[in-house]
Amino acid sequence: MEAGLAERRKTMTEWNDGRLDDLSERVNRIETKMDAGFVRMDEGFARIDAKFDAVNDKFENLHQMLFKVSWAMVVGLLGLLGVLIGVIATH
């Protein structure tokens, strides 16, 4: 019985070593695929960042335009107020 048990242990050890080697190889392949996937994701995020930068530039230009228009309106309203005060004062 001990001889059968010893042979079984030997067989199980060989089987486990082979399976561990196979598992190690499969993990390495999965790791390689994951690395390639992360590279693709990084490239995708870089493209998205570039698009966000372009949109941000457009919003910045819009903000500057609205700021200039609002100041032009303030100056125009102050001028109109000055004209109205002048008309009222001369009557």
Side-chain angles (χ1 to χ4, degrees):
M1 183 158 187
E2 283 187 25
L5 186 60
E7 187 169 325
R8 178 182 259 177
R9 284 185 185 156
K10 182 179 177 187
T11 304
M12 287 176 64
T13 302
E14 289 173 5
W15 180 84
N16 285 337
D17 288 345
R19 291 297 291 162
L20 287 175
D21 291 341
D22 182 45
L23 178 63
S24 176
E25 182 180 324
R26 291 174 73 189
V27 167
N28 287 338
R29 284 194 309 251
I30 290 170
E31 189 175 280
T32 302
K33 287 180 183 179
M34 286 179 63
D35 288 343
F38 285 131
V39 167
R40 285 194 314 269
M41 285 178 62
D42 287 341
E43 291 169 353
F45 284 134
R47 286 192 305 268
I48 290 171
D49 284 344
K51 289 180 181 180
F52 274 123
D53 288 341
V55 170
N56 190 31
D57 290 341
K58 289 180 182 180
F59 276 117
E60 183 65 30
N61 292 336
L62 178 64
H63 178 263
Q64 288 177 2
M65 183 188 67
L66 289 173
F67 184 75
K68 290 174 184 176
V69 167
S70 66
W71 273 109
M73 290 179 69
V74 166
V75 169
L77 287 172
L78 288 174
L80 181 62
L81 182 63
V83 168
L84 287 175
I85 291 174
V87 168
I88 292 172
T90 58
H91 276 63

